[in-house]
Amino acid sequence: MNDMRPLERAVETKEIKFECRDCQVYYGDTHAIKDVNVDIEDKTVTAFIGPSGCGKSTFLRCLNRMNDTIDIARVEGSFLLDGENIYDKRVDPVQLRAKVGMVFQKPNPFPKSIYDNIAYGPRIHGLAKNKAELDEIVEKSLRRGAIWNEVKDRLDAPGTGLSGGQQQRLCIARAVATEPEVLLMDEPCSALDPIATAQVEELIDELRESYSVVIVTHSMQQAARVSQKTAFFHLGNLVEFGETGQIFTNPKDPRTESYITGRIG
Amino acid sequence: MTDATAQGPDASRPERSGSLIALDERTRRRNRSERRFRLYGLIAIGIGVLALVVLLTSILSQGLPAFQQTFVNASVYLDPAKLDKNGTRDIEEIKKVSTFGYAPLIADAMDRKMESLGIDPEEFGLSDKDALEMISKEAAAQLRRYVIANPDQIGQTVEFRFLANGRIDGYYKGRVTMESAERDSNVSPAQLRLADELKADGALGTYFNWDFITAADASENRPEAAGIGVAIIGSFYMMLVVLFLALPIGVAASIYLEEFAPKNWFTDLIEVNISNLAAVPSIVFGILGLAIFINYVGLPQSAPIVGGLVLTLMTLPTIIISTRASLKSVPPSIRDAALGVGASKMQSVFHHVLPLAMPGILTGTIIGLAQALGETAPLMLIGMVAFVREYPGAPPEGFFDPASALPVQVYNWTTRADPAFVERASGAIIVLLLFLLCMNMIAIILRRRFERRW
């Protein structure tokens, strides 16, 4: 895997996966996201950083319309995924979510077996024709989730019986099992210990080969470690968006600088 | 904290002594009030347990004798000349012989029994007719049912257990004494003495009373024959109706309200009304059932289908409230997880939320059913309090036949004059309590089995 990296770094610009323009989100009367414009590239890890309540998770949840489940949330603006607006009336959110997978802050495996946790998505989307194909998908996903070796002997054991870090990797494996194009991660390591965090970060770096990954994180070190692009949110505004190296070494906006040096947040 | 530092240590802790061994007044007061509260709790539980013990002892001591019954053993000759004059053994012909036709057979059987034992009723100062009165009036019907069920026995002599008269039965259960018999027009001390003699010879005995569980109700003057068979079937049919209507409707309604319905004034209104409905007195549902199901729709009176519909209406709020509570208790992260992998709303509910809520739903349903099983008032209004002698047919026609119900049967018997019915009513209560106990056990077992952690 690592030997491919120089090749990728050589590529100057990548295809844009998500093009978000003039995005606004309201929770009732609260204006939670204000005029956000962001381009998320394919096969790139994009990190959203910012203090609590700045709207980064809200914005992330817009990208696969998870905010639809919140009655009072209202989303405006255009979110173009491969040129199609995901908030178009004709778009079925279910189909969208198969394309844009999500991993949540708290590991939330289904209270079913490890196998069923992974197989659930492929089953409801009809990705496997028979049991053999399904087995293959499960194995492939668990390998991608970097958890195969730990669970291959106990696929029938309940997913809830794993440790926190294993559960989170199981959830990542579950998310990639449906072959998404974009993977959204909402603070995936905030409930994990440093070792599990390192494993998940390693995994994110590998996932970049095949997906566009968007990660929300509170840890600036984590953003610096895993991402190529970083977006800094503050009070619902996108303050600065750019190459991770540039954001952390040479921020243009004074607010970004204050945040990464620990003066606000 | 800031207050304490502002006031200084002396001002903020005036009462505390330095030692931990010696309790200060404040702590002692607190401990006293805690002990007092525990005592109140124990007293409350004690009162509850005492009430339960008194209730159960009274019901058991009154009701258990209902499961025992005094019978007279005699061999009866099923005379073809009386039962089947044409000798065709045609069941329709045999049915034409009424219970009056059987009375002589029983008289004959009793005569021969006494003779064989060397007992002469005259010695007790009793005529043959007096001696025959010791047998229940139900005996002829009992024999007739046997013959209709076994027509091939006609012409044979069969050993038969005739129900003894309720007063004779009461004598062996301590309800009737020689003194009370003196003043009783239905039984004389001489008859009791004869019964004792018969018992000594083994012609009269007390046996387990299956008839109490299987037989139909009996009229005022033959309590010994009364059973709860029709009531059990009626209650069972009603429970079937309630289960098959209330469970799907209740669960569907709660899933919609909890998971799909938008939150607006209309759903709020529905929610409030469901809670109100749960508090409506059950007799109101009875009036509703009478007005709608019987008067308007024209369903038959006393039918389990009407009872079931009324009880369904009554049980629905219970089921909806408990189902919604258990749906609410499923963590939202499970819903997010399902939606996150691209499940539709319905898939997330049916594949993940509902299985997790299942134990709660089942418990709520069974508690609702148990509540419906014990309900009396609405059933009285729709005519189930009637005297029903015929067993309802097999479902589905049986749902439209008249039937009784267990709690109504209990009520019915307590209104009758003969003290023997008190025993019957208590016996029926025991059966009802057993059913309720079983249902609660099932609820507990289901909850244990389906409970999953997440």
Side-chain angles (χ1 to χ4, degrees), chain B residues 191-206:
Chain B
Q191 282 172 321
L192 295 182
R193 276 194 293 276
L194 177 59
D196 275 339
E197 183 71 31
L198 285 171
K199 190 173 174 118
D201 290 325
L204 186 146
T206 306

Side-chain angles (χ1 to χ4, degrees), chain B residues 35-50:
Chain B
R35 270 198 300 277
R36 218 163 35 234
F37 182 75
R38 273 196 227 167
L39 187 69
Y40 293 154
L42 281 175
I43 290 173
I45 291 173
I47 291 172
V49 169
L50 191 73

Side-chain angles (χ1 to χ4, degrees), chain A residues 61 64 66 69 71 94-95 97-98 100-102 104 106 108-112 120-121 124-125 160 174-175 178, chain B residues 261-263 331-345 347-348 351-352 355-356 452-454:
Chain A
R61 289 168 66 92
N64 72 344
M66 281 301 270
T69 57
D71 282 336
V94 170
Q95 229 173 340
R97 287 180 201 135
V100 183
M102 186 148 189
F104 297 86
K106 214 176 126 229
N108 55 356
F110 299 129
K112 296 174 187 267
Y120 182 69
I124 60 173
H125 295 299
T160 40
R174 181 179 66 190
T178 52
Chain B
K263 292 266 168 291
S333 67
I334 297 292
R335 294 181 180 85
D336 280 349
L339 294 178
V341 295
S344 68
K345 186 89 194 162
Q347 283 170 326
S348 92
H351 295 167
H352 302 287
L356 288 174
R452 276 191 278 187
R453 273 163 295 143
W454 50 78

Side-chain angles (χ1 to χ4, degrees), chain B residues 372-444:
Chain B
L373 182 65
E375 200 54 67
T376 325
L379 301 182
M380 290 166 59
L381 284 175
I382 58 158
M384 291 198 94
V385 76
F387 175 76
V388 182
R389 193 78 185 88
E390 294 291 317
Y391 292 93
E397 292 84 19
F399 287 129
F400 297 89
D401 293 341
S404 186
L406 273 174
V408 175
Q409 191 71 72
V410 171
Y411 165 79
N412 220 341
W413 282 341
T414 51
T415 59
R416 294 193 188 172
D418 195 316
F421 280 112
V422 175
E423 166 201 302
R424 300 274 147 174
S426 301
I429 290 172
I430 292 174
V431 173
L432 187 59
L433 285 179
L434 278 179
F435 280 137
L436 293 177
L437 211 62
C438 285
M439 290 170 82
N440 284 334
M441 290 273 278
I442 292 170
I444 291 169

Side-chain angles (χ1 to χ4, degrees), chain A residues 160-207:
Chain A
T160 40
L162 298 171
S163 74
Q166 288 174 323
Q167 286 191 13
Q168 193 60 299
R169 278 180 286 149
L170 180 69
C171 291
I172 294 173
R174 181 179 66 190
V176 299
T178 52
E179 297 290 343
E181 294 168 18
V182 182
L183 201 54
L184 308 178
M185 297 182 159
D186 190 357
E187 297 179 42
C189 301
S190 65
L192 304 184
D193 68 28
I195 296 170
T197 303
Q199 286 167 328
V200 171
E201 282 178 11
E202 209 171 306
L203 176 59
I204 291 169
D205 202 46
E206 285 166 24
L207 292 173

